[in-house]
Amino acid sequence: MSQQRESNHAQQTLDLPITGMTCGSCATRVERGLKRMPGVLESTVNYAAERAALTIDSAQLTQHDVVRKVRDLGYDVATTETTLVVEGMTCNSCAMRVQKALRKVPGVLEADVNFATGTARVSHLAAATVDRMVASVNAIGYHTAAADRGNGEADDAHAAHVRSVRRRLVVAIALTAPIVVIMVLHVLEQTGIATISHSWMRWTSIASAILATPVQLYCGWPFITGAIRNARHRAANMDTLIAMGTLTAYVFSLVQLLLGHDELYFDTAAVIVTLILLGRYFEARAKGRASRALEALLEMGAKDALVVRDGIEQAVPVGDVRSGDAVLVRPGQKIPVDGVIDEGSTAVDESMLTGESVPIDKEPGSEVFGGTVNTSGSFRMTATNIGEQSALAQIVKLMADAQGSKAPVQRLADRVSGVFVPIVLLVAAIAFTGWWLLAGDPVAGLIAAVTVLVIACPCALGLATPTAIMVGTGRGAEHGVLIKSGEVLERTRTISTVVLDKTGTLTRGDMQVRDVIAAPDSDLGHALAMAAATEQASEHPLARAIVRHVEAQGLKVPRGATAKAAAGLGMTATIDDEQVVVGRARYLTEQGLSIDASLAAHQDRFEAQGTTAVFVGYGGAAQAVFSISDTIKPEASTVVEELGRLGLSVILLTGDNERTARAIAAQAGIDRVIAEVMPSDKVDVVRKLQAGGDIVAMVGDGLNDAPALAQADLGIAIGTGTDIAMEASDLTLISGDLRGVITAITLSRRTLRTIYWNLIWAFGYNIVGIPIAALGLLNPILAAAVMAFSSVFVVSNSLRLRRFRGFQPPLPEGIDVTDTTAAPRAAA
């Protein structure tokens, strides 16, 4: 009967919203897959309702395991991510308790609590409401609320905390100073340097007790209340250690004073509280500086916008601007929202997005972005992306997510933090007992125990990783580099090979027709018109180049042609009952068209010059060949050389023919070339490199690069490319400057190195300091001073990343890498 009750207690009912099912057989597949899992007692999947109802044995299986199984089957579970602000955490042990409480809430799949930022990121099902999560955390003694990145509540809470600590610190210093003077007088009297009457000594001891009481009970009150709150929930944290250490010294001294003894430690209790408050004040200020980059981004948006509605200009709050509104922007103003210029030309300072200080020229049709600065002419624009869809909002979200993430190296620190305080309490008890029983000196044991409690510092463990990530990702954003998570930082350490896409990455992506040769007896004008008619619906850079060239010739282009694309090869269209083929030589041959020997010779010449040969054919034969070339980015060779210095192998990956690809690679100084790769095959190339032992970083910008970016060990998206490429990447370079690749890699590695040094200090400090304290070789006041500044050391070491400078070697005079033809897209 008892076993039955335990089994029933372990049962848990789950209701999962399943996405991706297209028919009843999908539902059957999911249901069978779930039923095969050990621990699933019942499973029913309803295709019409798109839901799965399960009963599981929670002793064998977690809801996270179930979700992972659904995803392994090729479907997904609709989940929500919520960020909570958690107040009252004083060390990483607190963060671990909050994390554990959140993970116990039914419907919560994952929870990561960041002590440095005071936030919790929760991935959950609809069943886990915010109210339930808040209640679970509040129940263990902390205050929690849903975060709103835009309302400044977190900043206000942090400022209030700094003011509170400063106020208590001022009082503590004012009262502790005379206690220290009295302590010095007692030492002088005991050493015979000064002679002080016994009655006067007695009165100074009473004065010390009076002064130490408000220090202990007012200045140290947050430590005491924190310890009591944790004790109610049978837990312990940093506050527990401080409260126990200082109260032990204070109460022991009070008893000694009442008994008429002279061995008092009021000075120890007061100085410890003062030093710890001093450390926490510096730590709070330093943490504020660490998050300043995100705050600066939040402040960059404009507050008001000048819109035209019903022909009337009116100033409205930027939050009231609607998509499609006509917005006027004057010189010197911040652009309020993302949009497209309709009238006027100007130059825009986009440094807040790209890190590039040179203003970008804009004209009708150009994209502009909220938060950037209009430096010259007035213009009228149509609002496109507003609110959370704007480039700035998405960058802020990406940064906030990155700063709230954890690097895998933090897991060890988290595991240690979970048991740190109980172990310290045990060591303190052993130190006291050992000195009392083995040395016969309970007072020395008491001092050793107090010293152990005071010197232990789990805060440093909790701050080591997140502060470095906060500063590193913030500094990256200032240089136009967006790092998606702490995990990305660790991957950069092992990269061995960098694969560069050609068009738009190694080159500017601004294709131009350099030459056109017609076949003998062919009408060049007609061939050009047929080519443009076929390519006019395509967004491929080669197609755009052909259309622009033909339109510039003033030729009439037939409209409305129905075209069909063959990815990576070309296009076909039927125009006036005639099939027209535009593409590579191989594609024309496959379509049954012949290529004249003279055109083939021109193809060889074009490719030897590093340009791409594109044919147009109809009537059974190729009629003309285009020579289309791109311009290699001026910084390309410098970047390739620097990648070599970093010990990385560089590969050029392109769909171009071998000859053209090698000509481009030679200009950039690249030896390894993989050419004639279909867009769909790029991901296979990355897989083969990985199978051969390479740790691959893929750099690309186009839609067809997205699968390869996702497959690579490190995906780096050029921000002037498509949103889907950036979604698939780990690092995003908001500008088109290829030097950002070096900046991204070196910044990531330096941030990771900072994390390692922080953890070495945090672990080493506690491993060395606690045994020394237990052996009685350390004065408790000195222990308090060292502990107070251990966290400050970690945060200050992370702040050194603010001095990081991006990779900016000089380029040849007159060269400008600013791409005025492309603008950064939202880092979605």
Side-chain angles (χ1 to χ4, degrees):
M1 180 68 73
S2 174
Q3 288 180 350
Q4 179 65 38
R5 277 198 303 267
E6 289 177 9
S7 176
N8 289 340
H9 181 70
Q11 288 185 13
Q12 184 179 358
T13 301
L14 299 180
D15 180 21
L16 304 180
I18 309 294
T19 61
M21 297 189 298
T22 57
C23 61
S25 61
C26 294
T28 302
R29 182 166 182 260
V30 175
E31 187 172 301
R32 286 176 179 171
L34 292 175
K35 282 182 176 178
R36 293 192 187 105
M37 296 183 73
V40 173
L41 307 177
E42 294 180 21
S43 172
T44 304
V45 179
N46 187 320
Y47 165 60
E50 296 186 314
R51 306 193 82 81
L54 300 94
T55 302
I56 66 171
D57 182 353
S58 57
Q60 299 184 56
L61 201 64
T62 67
Q63 49 198 1
H64 189 63
D65 296 329
V66 175
V67 172
R68 187 163 54 239
K69 179 64 176 179
V70 172
R71 289 170 176 166
D72 289 343
L73 290 169
Y75 305 92
D76 205 354
V77 177
T79 60
T80 304
E81 277 217 354
T82 298
T83 301
L84 303 175
V85 174
V86 184
E87 296 178 9
M89 296 191 297
T90 58
C91 65
N92 210 42
S93 299
C94 299
M96 293 302 97
R97 287 191 62 222
V98 173
Q99 188 166 287
K100 191 177 296 184
L102 286 169
R103 288 178 176 177
K104 288 181 180 177
V105 176
V108 169
L109 304 176
E110 191 58 64
D112 282 313
V113 180
N114 191 317
F115 166 56
T117 59
T119 58
R121 293 173 61 197
V122 188
S123 176
H124 60 96
L125 304 172
T129 63
V130 172
D131 289 342
R132 285 187 178 183
M133 291 185 280
V134 168
S136 71
V137 177
N138 291 351
I140 60 171
Y142 302 91
H143 178 66
T144 317
D148 181 355
R149 290 190 182 99
N151 64 6
E153 288 182 6
D155 295 338
D156 292 342
H158 177 75
H161 172 66
V162 172
R163 287 195 299 271
S164 175
V165 173
R166 183 172 58 229
R167 185 168 56 249
R168 294 177 191 274
L169 175 61
V170 170
V171 174
I173 291 173
L175 296 178
T176 301
I179 296 176
V180 172
V181 172
I182 291 172
M183 176 195 70
V184 172
L185 291 175
H186 281 216
V187 171
L188 293 176
E189 196 277 336
Q190 290 169 2
T191 56
I193 296 176
T195 303
I196 304 173
S197 67
H198 180 73
S199 61
W200 199 88
M201 288 287 290
R202 179 71 177 169
W203 281 111
T204 57
S205 297
I206 294 173
S208 293
I210 294 172
L211 292 169
T213 299
V215 174
Q216 185 69 59
L217 300 182
Y218 168 70
C219 302
W221 187 246
F223 309 136
I224 297 171
T225 54
I228 294 172
R229 183 175 62 239
N230 279 276
R232 285 175 181 165
H233 297 93
R234 298 180 181 179
N237 68 348
M238 188 70 205
D239 288 337
T240 306
L241 302 180
I242 297 170
M244 286 186 65
T246 56
L247 279 173
T248 299
Y250 174 77
V251 173
F252 174 78
S253 302
L254 204 58
V255 172
Q256 288 284 85
L257 180 64
L258 293 174
L259 294 175
H261 297 162
D262 295 329
E263 199 163 4
L264 308 176
Y265 296 96
F266 290 118
D267 55 314
T268 299
V271 172
I272 287 173
V273 169
T274 302
L275 288 174
I276 291 173
L277 282 173
L278 182 64
R280 289 207 170 173
Y281 175 68
F282 286 140
E283 176 190 322
R285 290 194 58 179
K287 283 166 66 177
R289 290 174 62 199
S291 61
R292 192 168 295 165
L294 183 57
E295 295 170 13
L297 272 179
L298 287 168
E299 293 170 358
M300 281 183 175
K303 301 295 185 288
D304 300 300
L306 186 61
V307 300
V308 180
R309 291 174 180 166
D310 300 324
I312 301 172
E313 296 181 13
Q314 51 185 300
V316 300
V318 71
D320 292 343
V321 177
R322 299 188 294 266
S323 181
D325 273 346
V327 181
L328 299 178
V329 183
R330 297 194 172 98
Q333 290 182 336
K334 283 185 179 179
I335 297 172
V337 294
D338 295 0
V340 177
I341 294 180
D342 298 320
E343 300 174 8
S345 298
T346 187
V348 176
D349 178 359
E350 295 183 342
S351 58
M352 53 79 67
L353 285 176
T354 66
E356 174 58 58
S357 59
V358 179
I360 310 297
D361 291 334
K362 302 288 183 177
E363 57 189 17
S366 298
E367 287 183 283
V368 290
F369 301 91
T372 58
V373 180
N374 178 29
T375 62
S376 53
S378 298
F379 63 86
R380 177 184 174 127
M381 58 178 271
T382 298
T384 53
N385 298 323
I386 58 174
E388 293 183 355
Q389 283 73 48
S390 70
L392 180 59
Q394 292 184 61
I395 289 170
V396 168
K397 181 182 183 302
L398 194 63
M399 266 193 68
D401 289 345
Q403 293 191 347
S405 68
K406 291 183 179 180
V409 71
Q410 176 71 11
R411 290 170 189 157
L412 175 61
D414 287 347
R415 286 197 295 269
V416 171
S417 295
V419 296
F420 184 88
V421 176
I423 290 175
V424 171
L425 291 172
L426 179 62
V427 172
I430 292 173
F432 174 71
T433 305
W435 278 94
W436 187 4
L437 297 180
L438 300 179
D441 191 346
V443 174
L446 185 68
I447 297 304
V450 169
T451 308
V452 168
L453 295 173
V454 168
I455 198 171
C457 184
C459 302
L461 292 173
L463 292 170
T465 298
T467 53
I469 291 175
M470 286 166 67
V471 181
T473 54
R475 192 63 180 144
E478 292 172 4
H479 285 282
V481 176
L482 298 182
I483 302 170
K484 284 198 172 179
S485 69
E487 187 178 354
V488 171
L489 299 171
E490 291 209 31
R491 285 194 229 143
T492 60
R493 180 171 55 91
T494 57
I495 294 302
S496 62
T497 302
V498 177
V499 177
L500 296 174
D501 175 54
K502 182 177 78 70
T503 305
T505 301
L506 192 68
T507 63
R508 288 187 179 274
D510 182 22
M511 294 287 190
Q512 300 288 336
V513 174
R514 306 299 176 187
D515 199 0
V516 186
I517 303 295
D521 303 324
S522 177
D523 183 346
L524 179 58
H526 183 65
L528 290 174
M530 292 298 99
T534 304
E535 298 280 45
Q536 62 188 346
S538 174
E539 291 298 323
H540 193 283
L542 292 173
R544 293 289 87 205
I546 290 172
V547 173
R548 284 196 305 268
H549 177 76
V550 174
E551 289 177 345
Q553 304 298 313
L555 298 173
K556 184 178 179 181
V557 178
R559 300 292 176 184
T562 302
K564 180 180 178 182
L569 293 173
M571 294 189 73
T572 59
T574 302
I575 304 172
D576 296 333
D577 297 325
E578 186 169 41
Q579 185 184 48
V580 181
V581 182
V582 180
R584 302 180 188 279
R586 167 184 154 196
Y587 185 52
L588 265 71
T589 303
E590 289 176 355
Q591 299 299 313
L593 278 72
S594 63
I595 299 177
D596 184 82
S598 64
L599 288 185
H602 285 298
Q603 174 194 2
D604 293 339
R605 177 169 63 85
F606 292 157
E607 291 175 352
Q609 294 170 350
T611 67
T612 300
V614 177
F615 291 88
V616 54
Y618 47 86
Q623 303 296 326
V625 60
F626 293 84
S627 169
I628 306 176
S629 70
D630 197 357
T631 306
I632 191 169
K633 291 181 178 178
E635 72 273 19
S637 59
T638 304
V639 169
V640 170
E641 183 180 352
E642 186 64 22
L643 286 171
R645 285 201 192 98
L646 292 173
L648 302 173
S649 173
V650 182
I651 298 174
L652 175 63
L653 178 64
T654 179
D656 257 341
N657 65 79
E658 183 83 17
R659 187 183 299 174
T660 301
R662 290 204 172 275
I664 294 292
Q667 295 178 46
I670 300 175
D671 297 325
R672 298 176 66 186
V673 176
I674 301 177
E676 300 182 26
V677 179
M678 298 290 288
S680 58
D681 294 335
K682 287 185 177 181
V683 67
D684 294 327
V685 171
V686 173
R687 287 196 186 108
K688 287 178 183 177
L689 291 171
Q690 291 170 326
D694 287 323
I695 310 298
V696 180
M698 172 73 190
V699 186
D701 77 318
L703 181 66
N704 55 29
D705 297 325
L709 288 169
Q711 175 63 35
D713 300 284
L714 181 70
I716 303 177
I718 300 292
T720 49
T722 62
D723 290 346
I724 193 169
M726 289 184 280
E727 183 69 27
S729 69
D730 303 304
L731 288 165
T732 298
L733 312 181
I734 305 178
S735 75
D737 190 342
L738 199 57
R739 289 177 295 179
V741 173
I742 306 297
T743 296
I745 292 174
T746 53
L747 174 60
S748 296
R749 289 183 173 183
R750 191 171 298 182
T751 303
L752 186 63
R753 189 161 62 244
T754 300
I755 290 173
Y756 284 149
W757 277 113
N758 284 350
L759 288 173
I760 288 170
W761 163 261
F763 278 110
Y765 158 81
N766 285 293
I767 289 171
V768 173
I770 292 174
I772 290 176
L775 292 172
L777 302 177
L778 198 62
N779 182 282
I781 292 178
L782 179 60
V786 175
M787 191 284 286
F789 286 95
S790 62
S791 298
V792 177
F793 172 85
V794 167
V795 180
S796 299
N797 189 48
S798 298
L799 286 171
R800 290 171 60 242
L801 287 168
R802 295 183 66 187
R803 298 201 296 266
F804 174 82
R805 295 290 180 267
F807 180 66
Q808 295 289 334
L811 295 172
E813 188 175 349
I815 295 294
D816 178 15
V817 298
T818 304
D819 186 353
T820 60
T821 64
R825 296 180 184 270

